[in-house]
Amino acid sequence: MPRPTPAQLVYGSCTVICSTLAMLLLSQTSSGIAIAVIALAALGLGLLVAMTVPLPRPRTVARSEPAPSAPPGARVPVHRETVAAATAEPVRERTAP
């Protein structure tokens, strides 16, 4: 089971605190059982919020795929410049005098 992220902890804790205060103020209850029910409901709501916070995605490395090759027997168009450059003599470098 993965550990909770700091964002999950913060969102869950804030939800528990805010929802507990809101429900206690709105219900105006003073009995111990009602307060316990409200606290359990707030904990459940906080847990739900914490679990629905999106988890960071693992980093993926982009894979370089080879260029698609022509199927066997397929004709590949060749430009004249490419053929001329491939058959030309190599360029000789000048030597320093």
Side-chain angles (χ1 to χ4, degrees), residues 1-5 8-9 47 50-51 55:
M1 183 171 173
R3 298 175 73 182
T5 63
Q8 288 176 316
L9 293 174
L47 182 64
M51 288 296 131
L55 294 174

Side-chain angles (χ1 to χ4, degrees), residues 10-29 34-50:
V10 170
Y11 282 133
S13 300
C14 288
T15 302
V16 169
I17 293 169
C18 292
S19 62
T20 302
L21 288 175
M23 287 189 277
L24 285 174
L25 290 173
L26 290 173
S27 69
Q28 297 179 352
T29 186
I35 293 173
V37 168
I38 288 173
L40 286 175
L43 284 173
L45 186 61
L47 182 64
L48 178 70
V49 167

Side-chain angles (χ1 to χ4, degrees), residues 67-78:
S69 60
R75 301 191 83 183
V76 180
V78 178

Side-chain angles (χ1 to χ4, degrees), residues 54-66:
L55 294 174
R57 295 183 183 191
R59 294 183 180 181
T60 57
V61 178
R63 296 182 185 174
S64 60
E65 296 182 14

